[in-house]
Amino acid sequence: MAGEAATGPLAGIRVLDLTSVLLGPYATQIMGDMGADVIKVESLEGDVTRNVTPFRNPGMGTVFLNVNRNKRSLSMDLKNTGARDALLKLAQSADVFVSSVRPAAMRRLGLGYEDLKTINPKLIYCGAYGFSEQGPYAGRPAYDDIIQAACGLVDYHDRADGAPAYSRTVIADKVTGLMCLSAISMALVARERSGIGQFVEVPMFESLVAFLHPEHLQGATFPDGDGKTGYDRVLAPHRKPYRTRDGHVALLPYTARQWGDYLRAIGREDIATANWVTDAAERSRNIAKLYQIVAEATPARTSAEWLALFAEIDVPAMPVMGTEDLLQDPHLDEIGFWPLFKHQSEGEIRLVGQPIRYGSTPASYRLGAPRLGEHSREILIEGGLAAPDIDALLSAGAVFQAS
């Protein structure tokens, strides 16, 4: 809890985090949970999610609180030469530099990879933005909805449901954030071996195309194939929570044994041993038909009756849970997934827990999400700036320090 020393596998790693909204902050929060010293470098206005409601105090919205813990805030105007030079001084001793600003803008500020490599050859510099710099979409603005449409996700919703739709979570941001975290971690391993840092690019568009298509590439996998894309099981019209007598359940027989036991349990012995059920390839071709059988059977019993039966025959099933249910879930309660945390300015808050568990280097929750500029002075002092120079930056409005 608050005040704990860093114990995670990234303890001792310093990260300069020039990201905002969700993609970068989600990745760097996990780095912070895992022990890294994450310095969140914000504009004088601060991360836009600070003022996404609800909040107890302006500038400390719940979205911001949930992706910015275990970080310190340095608020500065990077267009100011003195502030930029101060950041470059901090970069000399940093291990990782992460930016979600478009590369052309970073180069104009004198904060591109080539600029930082000259002062710190060991630096891992990660650019996480919309599109790769190597293609014709380079430099285009991008947010989660835009990438969901561009990568094919909206189209797959259209194929399955007859209407284009966005996912009900910011999946492009968070998937790319996880890829960003993975890429940085592997670059740190490479640096341990070579002693040299490198540039890492993690674009949203390519990340989501890669995320979607291991299963959806299908016939286009073969250059001489039929070119048909889309994984039939996932796109089957009856692949959805099944209506019971009093609600809905999620149910997924998957193996031949599970399908056979399920079909016998609902009185369909006539097809339980049919080749199109027992043979994996035939079952794949007929999966929409099997899902229709499930959809037609489930209204006959209550959710509790079905869940008891599925537990008895060892077929994967769970109730459809809402967030309110998850806050009371016995499994999540037992593992302490929703810890209460005494935030330094917001009082007691509930955290979204860290799901990764290490046996000897556990994650920790040491610091709540910072107020804008809460740590500006202390960070600049650590970076070697003299007190008069810091005072000059503060007086000029180039750096903001929270009172």
Side-chain angles (χ1 to χ4, degrees):
M1 286 295 166
E4 288 184 359
T7 55
L10 294 180
I13 297 294
R14 173 165 284 190
V15 180
L16 291 179
D17 175 12
L18 279 73
T19 69
S20 61
V21 192
L22 269 164
L23 187 168
Y26 183 60
T28 54
Q29 175 173 276
I30 298 173
M31 296 184 76
D33 288 355
M34 296 307 169
D37 175 20
V38 180
I39 297 172
K40 184 176 178 67
V41 182
E42 301 185 69
S43 69
L44 298 179
E45 296 76 26
D47 190 321
V48 67
T49 61
R50 283 184 173 278
N51 290 303
V52 174
T53 56
F55 48 71
R56 285 178 177 159
N57 294 297
M60 298 300 287
T62 57
V63 174
F64 182 83
L65 291 174
N66 282 320
V67 290
N68 286 288
R69 65 172 176 245
N70 285 329
K71 303 178 188 181
R72 297 185 291 162
S73 174
L74 167 61
S75 174
M76 57 189 352
D77 176 9
L78 290 175
K79 294 180 181 178
N80 178 280
T81 301
R84 172 191 167 276
D85 290 346
L87 182 64
L88 288 173
K89 194 170 182 64
L90 289 170
Q92 291 175 5
S93 59
D95 297 285
V96 178
F97 185 99
V98 193
S99 171
S100 57
V101 180
R102 282 180 275 179
M106 292 299 286
R107 290 191 288 269
R108 286 195 297 270
L109 289 170
L111 295 172
Y113 175 60
E114 295 301 324
D115 300 300
L116 272 69
K117 182 175 72 168
T118 60
I119 63 171
N120 184 356
K122 296 182 67 175
L123 186 68
I124 306 300
Y125 186 113
C126 180
Y129 34 76
F131 304 91
S132 172
E133 282 286 280
Q134 295 181 312
Y137 298 164
R140 289 190 181 186
Y143 289 101
D144 192 275
D145 292 1
I146 305 305
I147 299 300
Q148 286 196 40
C151 74
L153 181 59
V154 167
D155 176 60
Y156 287 125
H157 280 293
D158 193 4
R159 293 195 211 182
D161 303 322
Y166 297 124
S167 172
R168 295 301 180 184
T169 185
V170 282
I171 192 169
D173 273 1
K174 289 187 285 186
V175 166
T176 310
L178 291 173
M179 290 197 174
C180 184
L181 174 66
S182 175
I184 292 169
S185 300
M186 288 185 280
L188 286 169
V189 172
R191 191 186 70 174
E192 284 297 304
R193 296 171 178 166
S194 69
I196 302 172
Q198 63 180 298
F199 172 74
V200 179
E201 182 183 63
V202 187
M204 296 174 72
F205 176 55
E206 290 88 333
S207 293
L208 266 290
V209 172
F211 175 76
L212 280 176
H213 286 90
E215 78 275 28
H216 281 304
L217 193 58
Q218 294 288 296
T221 300
F222 308 108
D224 58 351
D226 61 13
K228 179 179 177 292
T229 63
Y231 182 25
D232 287 344
R233 189 191 77 77
V234 172
L235 298 175
H238 291 289
R239 181 196 171 244
K240 59 184 66 177
Y242 296 105
R243 181 174 297 281
T244 67
R245 186 182 298 168
D246 60 354
H248 292 83
V249 296
L251 164 67
L252 185 60
Y254 197 79
T255 67
R257 194 278 302 166
Q258 289 168 353
W259 273 113
D261 288 350
Y262 169 77
L263 290 167
R264 282 186 284 271
I266 65 168
R268 293 301 308 268
E269 293 87 350
D270 57 316
I271 59 171
T273 59
N275 181 64
W276 63 273
V277 174
T278 60
D279 181 83
E282 290 300 313
R283 188 168 62 251
S284 176
R285 294 187 185 97
N286 288 277
I287 196 65
K289 182 177 177 181
L290 282 167
Y291 284 172
Q292 183 175 355
I293 291 170
V294 176
E296 291 170 351
T298 50
R301 306 188 194 187
T302 66
S303 296
E305 289 170 339
W306 281 121
L307 292 169
L309 173 62
F310 300 147
E312 180 182 336
I313 63 176
D314 195 28
V315 166
M318 282 291 284
V320 175
M321 307 276 271
T323 302
E324 296 81 1
D325 302 311
L326 293 171
L327 292 173
Q328 307 298 325
D329 181 82
H331 177 88
L332 295 176
D333 182 63
E334 179 69 22
I335 65 174
F337 186 80
W338 303 107
L340 294 176
F341 182 87
K342 183 68 174 178
H343 190 279
Q344 61 269 21
S345 66
E346 304 309 299
E348 190 172 70
I349 63 172
R350 177 179 284 110
L351 300 183
V352 179
Q354 177 53 247
I356 302 169
R357 186 166 64 93
Y358 288 89
S360 57
T361 56
S364 59
Y365 311 124
R366 305 175 306 282
L367 184 66
R371 291 178 297 142
L372 178 63
E374 182 174 345
H375 307 94
S376 293
R377 182 180 288 276
E378 75 176 53
I379 291 168
L380 293 176
I381 290 171
E382 290 174 10
L385 268 72
D389 294 331
I390 297 173
D391 290 339
L393 289 170
L394 290 166
S395 297
V399 170
F400 172 72
Q401 169 67 49
S403 57

